Amino acid sequence: MNEPRSERVDIDAVLAEVRERIERKRASGVYGPEVEAALRLPLPGGRPLFVEDLGDPLPALRDAIEERVEYDPRSRKPVYGRLITLARQVAIGLVRWWIAAKDERQERIDRLTLRALLDLRDRPSPGFDERLRKLETEWARYRRDVVAADLHSVYFQARFGGDEPVIRAQSERFLDLFRGRKRVVDLGSGRGTFLQLMRDNGVGAYGVDLDERMIATARERGLEVVAGDAVEHLATLAEASVDGLYARHLAEHILPGELVRVLRECRRVLAPGSPIVFVTPNPRTLSVGAHTFWMDPGHVRPIPPDLFRFYLEVEGFEGVELVTFAPTEGTALSEDVGDEAMRSNVRLLNETLFGDRDYAVIGRTPSARAT
Amino acid sequence: MSVPKSWRFAGKPTAVHQFHPVLAPGDAMSNHVFALRARLREWGYASDAFAVEAKPGAPDVLSYRRLFRALRPTDMLLLHFSIGHEVFDQLAKIEARRVLVYHNVTPPEFFTGLNDHSAVHARLGLRQLAGLAPRVDLAVGVSEYDSHDLGEIGFTNVATVPILIDWSTYDVEPDASVLASMTSRRTRILFVGRISPNKRQDELIRMLAYYRACIDKEAQLFLVGSFRDQPQYHARCLALRDALGLQADVTFTGPVPVAGLVAYYARASVFCSLSEHEGFGVPLLEAMRLRLPVVAYDAAAVGETLDGGGILLPRKDVAEAAEVCAAVVEDAALRERLVAAGERRVRDFASDAVAERTREVLGL
């Protein structure tokens, strides 16, 4: 009755271990296509079990309709067998046309039912279809509205976008991280400021951007840019096919879940020991978090630096660090006060209200394990 | 659940009889009937087992026809129900204290297209069951799973009492010829139960294919149980075995007497069930009792019967099942813990305790 709890078997642990083992066997080819084929071998000698057909009923229904029902009237009983056979044949002969008529009607019902079901699968009922279309349209519009996607980014960039030389100067602080790299990807490459910087320093790099005008501008400068969505683009890349990743002002434009997906993909496509840099507005500076961040309607939500660091660490990046830069210029409270305590208070207030406007979170994919 | 009022005022029953359409030696349901009969007689009740068909070797079974003459209104009649039979409709009209003991009906879908005869009887069973609901005073499910079904069908006075197993019958010398026939190879996987599509022995054969390809190329599978009722499914399992080239490695033993059964449990390295429908699952308990670790897919009443006494597989994945069996076979510590957990669990089904519970529920 009072056996220790520790004696209980941790089934979840056993299952986790087992699943890992199966993955390893798949990877090493032990659990290959041949074994899989054996496991999927249908039960010979007839149709699949009905319980399995129920899992995929439409093809099974089609087969069932085509199936002919055989009946052998011959009896194998020793003495009366021939009599029974004869009686059966006579009975069948007498009701044949009745049975045939019923068969005929059943055949019609079966075929109509199958056709109706297939139609319903391929083309849901008009009412349902219309509601679905409406929902899809509304959802797409919501997704556009929530980031004011119709506000054209070139005009927006012209009015609110940063000064290119300034941005270039900010990017230079990451140059050393990427020096000597062969293929760095810049997600949301925009006009190509970072790509230009890379090219000027002999680093192989290309960009990905959604905006056709931005892409055109960058391409005019002779830079390599792929049109497309960042997550989708990463998904097309082979494992360890790039050796560095830079994304300026991208993370705040996507949902947290999408950001985690991006990070996960980054882990996959980056070669071991590759640097990864995300630059995003710094909401710890209140004038940014409360005001300027929202100047771009495309911003989904600010990301606190510590949260971003956590995302990277959880997704397995190493040596994660935070760097803030781009101090607020012009606006500040005067620190020219006599009282020392007051001066330090004002300084703290200045940092909190008018501190660095951007920050970068930097990490590396783990280097190849020495074995 | 409560003992019906009419019984209480009329006192104890004058006799307690049992009925099941078929009684055969060695099957779990019949063993239950015989074990219960012995207890009832011990408690001083006149008690007989009645059937439409008594298979050779079934001890002392009377024809159901005698029930119509012999039964008095103050007698209790336990109708064991696991499959439909025309006779139930007649028995339900006999004046007596009628109790339904429900062992669950295998859903007809398992037999459709494979064995029309079984499908028809399963369907009949489900129909009859609904008809019996207003005609019995008390319904007993042998598991919570079965009792839940009874409630859904419309039975109102429902109790759960597990199957009564006379564990002393297992205290026999294991059959030496069976022991000798089982090789000393590393992995000997065992499943006990009628060869039947709901028990999915075909999946176990596929599992062995994985086991031999990916874990131990000498592993063997022993399928203990009668294949008389489902010849079509048995034939197709044999064909699958042959198609996978496992002729020498999958053994269909057919029905075996208890000494043989004990020997299989004693020599096997793991008990594995991929069954998709069990109303109770006596072999799970037998394995636990005879110190064989259990790995079982969680279907119908399996999880409830196992209840931590083995490893319950949450999803049907042949590769996963095989690897779990391998973990059990190869990890001695895990094996020991499972055996201990099984022994703990099987104590809940001690004959005396279950008999007491039966007595209490039936108001004897």
Side-chain angles (χ1 to χ4, degrees):
Chain A
M1 284 293 109
N2 22 4
E3 260 110 346
R5 296 280 303 169
S6 63
E7 286 223 350
R8 282 195 84 89
V9 178
D10 185 352
I11 293 174
D12 289 340
V14 174
L15 286 175
E17 152 80 28
V18 153
R19 282 171 193 158
E20 208 171 287
R21 225 189 273 184
I22 292 173
E23 278 314 307
R24 279 203 302 275
K25 284 184 182 173
R26 268 189 207 281
S28 70
V30 175
Y31 181 10
E34 266 178 39
V35 181
E36 287 221 46
L39 298 191
R40 272 205 293 272
L41 192 69
L43 198 58
R47 287 205 49 77
L49 292 185
F50 188 58
V51 276
E52 286 179 354
D53 273 347
L54 283 173
D56 189 13
L58 280 180
L61 180 57
R62 199 195 306 255
D63 291 350
I65 290 175
E66 296 304 332
E67 201 178 286
R68 303 272 38 109
V69 180
E70 300 293 341
Y71 178 68
D72 180 4
R74 283 171 304 175
S75 165
R76 279 177 293 275
K77 288 235 164 62
V79 181
Y80 300 106
R82 298 183 69 163
L83 206 60
I84 294 171
T85 303
L86 188 68
R88 281 181 185 154
Q89 280 166 341
V90 169
I92 289 171
L94 287 176
V95 297
R96 189 166 65 223
W97 291 109
W98 176 60
I99 297 281
K102 282 180 81 73
D103 241 12
E104 184 51 39
R105 188 189 62 163
Q106 191 60 47
E107 176 90 10
R108 276 203 321 272
I109 294 174
D110 292 346
R111 291 199 179 274
L112 287 169
T113 310
L114 177 64
R115 169 55 44 206
L117 285 173
L118 288 172
D119 282 356
L120 210 59
R121 180 191 61 181
D122 302 336
R123 178 157 52 80
S125 73
F128 180 78
D129 224 13
E130 196 185 317
R131 279 167 62 196
L132 191 65
R133 225 187 334 266
K134 201 170 146 203
L135 214 61
E136 282 170 351
T137 315
E138 276 180 15
W139 177 243
R141 197 175 63 209
Y142 174 79
R143 287 292 300 238
R144 279 202 316 278
D145 288 352
V146 83
V147 294
D150 294 341
L151 198 68
H152 209 283
S153 74
V154 172
Y155 305 125
F156 183 79
Q157 195 75 26
R159 182 143 172 204
F160 297 106
D163 205 359
E164 196 167 353
V166 177
I167 295 172
R168 184 180 163 108
Q170 287 175 359
S171 307
E172 273 170 1
R173 74 180 60 237
F174 307 114
L175 192 52
D176 283 345
L177 276 169
F178 292 104
R179 232 183 259 286
R181 297 273 148 187
K182 301 276 183 300
R183 190 131 179 95
V184 173
V185 57
D186 177 4
L187 299 180
S189 49
R191 289 169 288 190
T193 315
F194 180 78
L195 295 177
Q196 183 78 48
L197 175 71
M198 289 297 110
R199 190 168 64 183
D200 295 348
N201 288 278
V203 177
Y206 76 101
V208 182
D209 208 291
L210 269 176
D211 193 307
E212 280 169 29
R213 293 190 189 212
M214 290 288 192
I215 297 169
T217 312
R219 281 182 182 159
E220 272 167 30
R221 298 160 79 169
L223 300 165
E224 181 190 348
V225 182
V226 178
D229 173 83
V231 189
E232 285 166 17
H233 174 72
L234 289 176
T236 65
L237 296 183
E239 268 176 48
S241 57
V242 289
D243 60 358
L245 184 136
Y246 179 80
R248 181 177 181 274
H249 289 202
L250 168 100
E252 69 273 19
H253 288 268
I254 59 180
L255 294 167
E258 289 174 319
L259 178 55
V260 171
R261 274 216 304 285
V262 166
L263 291 174
R264 229 161 254 180
E265 283 294 318
C266 287
R267 269 283 266 128
R268 190 180 64 81
V269 305
L270 282 168
S274 304
I276 177 173
V277 176
F278 282 86
V279 176
T280 188
N282 180 14
R284 186 175 270 164
T285 296
L286 291 189
S287 61
V288 172
H291 179 216
T292 55
F293 180 85
W294 301 108
M295 288 301 292
D296 184 345
H299 284 183
V300 178
R301 65 158 77 184
I303 308 161
D306 289 330
L307 179 63
F308 214 147
R309 172 207 286 272
F310 175 74
Y311 284 157
L312 258 67
E313 285 170 352
V314 162
E315 292 306 326
F317 292 93
E318 287 179 350
V320 181
E321 54 176 322
L322 295 168
V323 182
T324 67
F325 51 89
T328 309
E329 278 156 19
T331 323
L333 302 171
S334 169
E335 293 179 20
D336 187 14
V337 284
D339 180 48
E340 177 57 36
M342 186 62 117
R343 197 161 45 244
S344 80
N345 280 345
V346 173
R347 197 175 303 132
L348 183 62
L349 204 54
N350 267 335
E351 277 166 19
T352 310
L353 291 175
F354 311 113
D356 286 345
R357 284 172 299 150
D358 275 347
Y359 76 93
V361 58
I362 303 166
R364 270 180 194 280
T365 49
S367 44
R369 233 170 261 158
T371 43
Chain B
M1 187 283 306
S2 64
V3 172
K5 252 190 207 142
S6 55
W7 298 7
R8 256 181 279 159
F9 289 121
K12 305 266 183 204
T14 39
V16 185
H17 298 305
Q18 306 181 77
F19 168 82
H20 187 253
V22 184
L23 289 172
D27 98 272
M29 246 254 4
S30 306
N31 286 345
H32 172 57
V33 170
F34 299 137
L36 197 53
R37 182 179 61 185
R39 290 281 172 165
L40 288 163
R41 287 176 178 172
E42 235 175 76
W43 296 331
Y45 292 98
S47 180
D48 279 309
F50 295 84
V52 179
E53 188 188 356
K55 300 280 177 199
D60 185 20
V61 175
L62 305 179
S63 162
Y64 77 102
R65 290 202 181 80
R66 294 175 61 167
L67 275 173
F68 296 100
R69 278 177 277 132
L71 218 59
R72 290 159 292 179
T74 47
D75 287 351
M76 184 183 284
L77 177 61
L78 306 180
L79 298 163
H80 291 273
F81 200 98
S82 67
I83 192 145
H85 199 287
E86 295 75 10
V87 176
F88 279 111
D89 293 332
Q90 303 168 34
L91 292 177
K93 293 178 192 150
I94 297 185
E95 193 69 19
R97 299 183 186 180
R98 294 182 292 258
V99 177
L100 180 88
V101 182
Y102 186 48
H103 299 256
N104 219 299
V105 173
T106 305
E109 294 89 82
F110 284 104
F111 304 114
T112 305
L114 195 64
N115 185 341
D116 292 341
H117 186 263
S118 295
V120 164
H121 274 83
R123 240 180 273 282
L124 172 69
L126 295 176
R127 255 202 316 277
Q128 278 185 323
L129 204 55
L132 282 171
R135 290 179 168 272
V136 298
D137 303 301
L138 171 66
V140 175
V142 296
S143 62
E144 292 296 340
Y145 174 80
D146 295 343
S147 295
H148 176 261
D149 275 8
L150 288 172
E152 296 275 294
I153 292 163
F155 288 86
T156 45
N157 195 19
V158 178
T160 304
V161 185
I163 281 187
L164 175 63
I165 304 170
D166 180 1
W167 291 112
S168 65
T169 55
Y170 295 87
D171 298 334
V172 292
E173 276 302 306
D175 186 321
S177 63
V178 170
L179 289 181
S181 76
M182 288 181 87
T183 58
S184 57
R185 292 187 197 169
R186 187 152 58 104
T187 316
R188 297 171 303 275
I189 302 167
L190 176 69
F191 176 71
V192 177
R194 284 173 300 109
I195 308 300
S196 179
N198 59 305
K199 302 196 185 263
R200 297 307 300 262
Q201 280 93 348
D202 59 313
E203 296 275 54
L204 287 168
I205 295 173
R206 289 191 187 90
M207 184 184 92
L208 186 74
Y210 174 94
Y211 208 108
R212 290 174 65 91
C214 301
I215 301 167
D216 172 7
K217 61 182 190 310
E218 301 210 307
Q220 290 177 302
L221 174 65
F222 294 87
L223 298 169
V224 175
S226 163
F227 35 75
R228 199 200 42 182
D229 292 347
Q230 304 295 336
Q232 302 89 338
Y233 178 64
H234 179 229
R236 293 183 66 178
C237 282
L238 287 175
L240 177 68
R241 176 190 76 172
D242 298 350
L244 290 170
L246 298 170
Q247 288 89 332
D249 316 299
V250 178
T251 309
F252 288 87
T253 68
V256 296
V258 69
L261 190 62
V262 170
Y264 279 110
Y265 283 117
R267 288 288 286 131
S269 26
V270 62
F271 182 93
C272 182
S273 161
L274 296 180
S275 175
E276 289 176 5
H277 186 269
E278 296 288 338
F280 183 77
V282 171
L284 300 167
L285 294 180
E286 290 176 338
M288 293 185 217
R289 161 84 181 192
L290 297 165
R291 300 178 49 83
L292 183 62
V294 176
V295 174
Y297 168 60
D298 186 8
V302 170
E304 178 192 340
T305 301
L306 205 57
D307 192 27
I311 294 185
L312 196 62
L313 303 172
R315 63 177 187 200
K316 191 69 162 284
D317 181 322
V318 171
E320 215 165 278
E323 291 287 353
V324 171
C325 286
V328 172
V329 171
E330 278 151 31
D331 179 346
L334 174 63
R335 202 185 160 73
E336 270 316 301
R337 285 210 306 282
L338 282 174
V339 167
E343 286 192 309
R344 261 201 310 280
R345 173 58 179 150
V346 83
R347 263 178 246 151
D348 297 339
F349 298 90
S351 311
D352 287 344
V354 174
E356 247 345 282
R357 167 91 180 126
T358 310
R359 197 171 183 172
E360 173 199 346
V361 164
L362 296 180
L364 300 176

